[in-house]
């Protein structure tokens, strides 16, 4: 190397080799870093976000099953068929999604632990509900105790485990977001160095030979420039789309799922207030279920306000606005039902809570439908933006590798033409 560097042909050979290595390294690192980010973007769309959505659906199904069980109990010994079907559907949905989560939540000890807890506790909860139904059909007051115990198991074991599963899967989703959004610094630096080297070689060639263009080096520069622009623009577009899917899709979905869960828990507590009839009290002597209802409704109002702020179009804001109006009507009807119950008219209060028309149950159903519509819209927003972000990186790893090889070949041809002049 030292001997070669003392002659112009030797120097040209060294320069050509270094430039070719830089260009190949640029293409290889670009392919590696972009492949890593493309895989993370693909995970966002096809793995982690669906798992996070499934975890939210598990929570929602469990909460809805608890609500349906309490509604069916309040209806008396002859549980309405639609309420029973709703409960059975919720339990079947939660069981199916737990199997799916167990198969796909690989590598997460937290998720595995919560799935094990849910699989263990769900049959016990279902057994308590069946005990409550059997006693209720026979008119035994102990049925209410079974129902309250089942609700306690749901509140103390099942829902916390489902919440932790949701948080674990959502955390993995955000990790994938961060990995996909990280700028490819190594590829960018190598690209700038390779382009700088190519420009320097051509300037050196011009100063020594007074030739403006070297076709091989010019082709190498053009190919490297294409890779650099593709890298910068492609990653910027992908990052923008993924950020949009996170801000206007996933964040909205998280808030809307929380709102829906709060509405379900509020409804369950409203029903249990009539089931318990003051048998379960807080430390300060107030009805525990009524106090929990008030807390969940307050949380619901906060989440609906946050969801409205996050919605970025009319289609997203409209169902949230309507849900807030239905929630306000729900609270008004609940207050009236509590006054009726406190005055001693239990049957009247029961009608105000369970009737098909003019009841709190009607308002709850409207809130649930509006939230379902809002969630479907935001899920579509997420899928569209995240898929666009993933698509912006498609083909870049292979394209970068191919163009880098062509650029290295061009640099070699260009330097070889100069070397041939010395023979």
């Amino acid at each position: 190397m030292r001997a070669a560097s003392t002659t112009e042909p030797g120097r040209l050979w060294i320069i050509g080799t270094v430039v070719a290595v830089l260009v190949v390294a640029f293409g290889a690192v670009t392919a590696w870093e972009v492949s890593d980010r493309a895989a993370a973007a693909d995970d966002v769309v096809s793995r982690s976000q669906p798992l996070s959505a499934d975890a939210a659906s598990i929570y929602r199904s469990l909460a809805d099953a608890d609500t349906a069980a309490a509604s069916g109990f309040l209806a008396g010994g002859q549980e309405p068929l639609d309420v029973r079907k709703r409960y059975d559907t919720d339990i079947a949905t939660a069981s199916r999604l737990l199997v799916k989560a167990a198969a796909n939540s690989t590598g997460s000890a937290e998720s595995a632990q919560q799935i094990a807890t849910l699989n263990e506790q769900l049959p016990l909860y279902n057994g308590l509900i069946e005990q409550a139904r059997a006693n209720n059909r026979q008119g035994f007051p102990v049925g209410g105790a079974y129902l309250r115990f089942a609700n306690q198991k749901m509140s103390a074991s099942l829902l916390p485990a489902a919440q932790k599963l949701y948080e674990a899967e959502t955390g993995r989703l955000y990790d994938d977001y961060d990995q996909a959004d990280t700028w490819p610094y190594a590829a960018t630096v190598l690209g700038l160095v390779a382009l700088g080297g190519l420009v320097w070689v051509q300037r050196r060639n011009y100063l020594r030979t007074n030739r403006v263009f070297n076709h091989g080096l010019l082709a190498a520069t053009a190919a490297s420039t294409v890779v650099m622009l593709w890298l910068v623009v492609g990653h910027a577009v992908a990052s923008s789309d993924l950020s949009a899917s996170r801000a206007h899709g996933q964040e909205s979905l998280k808030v809307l799922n929380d709102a829906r869960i709060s509405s379900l828990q509020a409804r369950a507590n409203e029903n249990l207030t009539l089931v318990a009839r003051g048998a379960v009290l807080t430390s300060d002597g107030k009805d525990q279920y009524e106090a929990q209802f008030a807390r969940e409704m307050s949380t619901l109002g906060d989440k609906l306000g946050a969801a409205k702020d996050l919605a970025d179009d009319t289609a997203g804001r409209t169902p949230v606005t309507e849900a807030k109006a239905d929630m306000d009507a729900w609270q008004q009807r609940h207050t009236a039902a509590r006054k009726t119950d406190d005055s001693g008219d239990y049957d009247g209060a029961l009608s105000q809570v369970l009737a098909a028309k003019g009841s709190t149950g009607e308002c709850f159903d409207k809130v649930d439908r509006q939230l379902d519509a809002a969630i479907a819209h935001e899920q579509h927003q997420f899928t569209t933006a995240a898929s666009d972000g993933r698509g912006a990186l498609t083909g870049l790893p292979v394209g970068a590798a191919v163009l880098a090889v062509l650029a290295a070949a061009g640099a070699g041809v260009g330097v070889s033409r100069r070397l041939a002049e010395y023979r």
Side-chain angles (χ1 to χ4, degrees):
M1 290 289 289
R2 285 195 298 268
S5 64
T6 62
T7 65
E8 180 61 15
R11 286 192 289 269
L12 282 173
W13 182 85
I14 294 172
I15 290 171
T17 302
V18 170
V19 169
V21 169
L22 281 175
V23 171
V24 170
F26 171 43
V29 172
T30 298
W32 168 61
E33 287 197 317
V34 173
S35 294
D36 185 60
R37 284 149 183 78
D42 185 65
D43 283 342
V44 167
V45 178
S46 60
R47 184 186 64 84
S48 51
Q49 200 281 331
L51 283 174
S52 176
D54 285 346
S57 294
I58 291 171
Y59 197 123
R60 188 206 65 78
S61 296
L62 292 174
D64 192 55
D66 201 44
T67 299
S71 297
F73 189 92
L74 281 176
Q78 295 299 322
E79 185 177 10
L81 181 60
D82 60 333
V83 176
R84 179 59 187 259
K85 284 184 176 180
R86 182 171 180 170
Y87 173 86
D88 290 341
T89 299
D90 286 330
I91 295 298
T93 299
S95 300
R96 175 177 57 82
L97 292 178
L98 280 172
V99 172
K100 183 179 177 182
N104 292 287
S105 298
T106 55
S108 173
E110 177 66 19
S111 294
Q113 179 181 350
Q114 303 312 323
I115 290 170
T117 299
L118 289 165
N119 282 324
E120 177 185 346
Q121 295 296 321
L122 186 55
L124 299 177
Y125 170 82
N126 197 35
L128 290 170
I129 292 298
E130 293 304 325
Q131 289 278 11
R133 284 172 173 157
N135 283 280
N136 193 36
R137 282 194 296 269
Q138 299 176 72
F140 296 158
V142 73
Y146 275 111
L147 183 66
R148 292 194 298 273
F149 186 40
N151 173 261
Q152 182 182 359
K153 182 170 288 293
M154 177 65 75
S155 301
S157 299
L158 285 162
L159 291 182
Q163 178 69 25
K164 290 178 181 178
L165 175 63
Y166 175 60
E167 290 173 352
E169 295 301 335
T170 302
R172 293 176 68 185
L173 169 60
Y174 288 150
D175 288 342
D176 287 337
Y177 263 124
D178 292 339
Q179 185 176 355
D181 195 44
T182 303
W183 188 266
Y185 290 106
T188 303
V189 171
L190 269 174
L192 292 174
V193 172
L195 284 171
L198 285 166
V199 170
W200 177 80
V201 171
Q202 291 175 87
R203 183 173 183 277
R204 180 181 185 277
N205 183 54
Y206 169 72
L207 293 175
R208 287 178 177 269
T209 66
N210 206 32
R211 292 168 180 164
V212 178
F213 295 117
N214 179 298
H215 293 163
L217 292 173
L218 189 63
T221 304
S224 298
T225 302
V226 170
V227 175
M228 190 67 177
L229 291 175
W230 194 354
L231 171 65
V232 172
V233 175
H235 192 276
V237 171
S239 179
S240 176
D241 287 336
L242 288 171
S243 296
S245 75
R246 180 171 181 169
H248 303 300
Q250 175 56 30
E251 293 298 333
S252 292
L253 283 170
K254 187 175 186 303
V255 172
L256 287 168
N257 281 322
D258 289 344
R260 197 173 192 185
I261 289 166
S262 293
S263 72
L264 288 165
Q265 291 181 332
R267 179 60 177 170
N269 283 306
E270 181 178 47
N271 290 336
L272 285 167
T273 300
L274 291 174
V275 173
R277 306 184 73 174
V280 182
L281 303 177
T282 61
S283 58
D284 56 357
K286 296 180 180 179
D287 187 295
Q288 176 177 308
Y289 297 118
E290 178 64 16
Q292 290 174 346
F293 170 83
R295 284 197 298 271
E296 294 299 340
M297 290 298 280
S298 176
T299 301
L300 174 59
D302 293 340
K303 295 298 181 182
L304 288 176
K308 186 176 180 181
D309 292 338
L310 287 170
D312 61 338
D313 57 12
T314 302
R317 283 190 294 270
T318 298
V320 176
T321 302
E322 293 179 0
K324 180 62 169 63
D326 293 330
M327 188 203 78
D328 293 338
W330 180 4
Q331 287 182 309
Q332 293 173 1
R333 293 181 184 182
H334 175 81
T335 301
R338 294 311 311 143
K339 288 181 179 179
T340 301
D341 188 31
D342 291 341
S343 67
D345 185 4
Y346 178 79
D347 291 336
L350 196 63
S351 176
Q352 288 176 291
V353 171
L354 295 181
K357 297 292 184 181
S359 67
T360 60
E362 181 186 23
C363 294
F364 162 73
D365 289 336
K366 288 181 178 180
V367 170
D368 196 60
R369 283 196 298 271
Q370 296 299 337
L371 288 174
D372 186 59
I375 288 172
H377 173 75
E378 297 300 337
Q379 182 65 50
H380 176 73
Q381 294 280 84
F382 164 84
T383 302
T384 300
S387 297
D388 289 344
R390 177 180 60 179
L393 298 175
T394 301
L396 179 52
V398 175
V402 171
L403 288 171
V405 171
L406 293 176
V413 169
V415 172
S416 296
R417 292 289 300 272
R418 286 285 293 119
L419 284 171
E421 297 173 0
Y422 288 90
R423 296 194 180 108

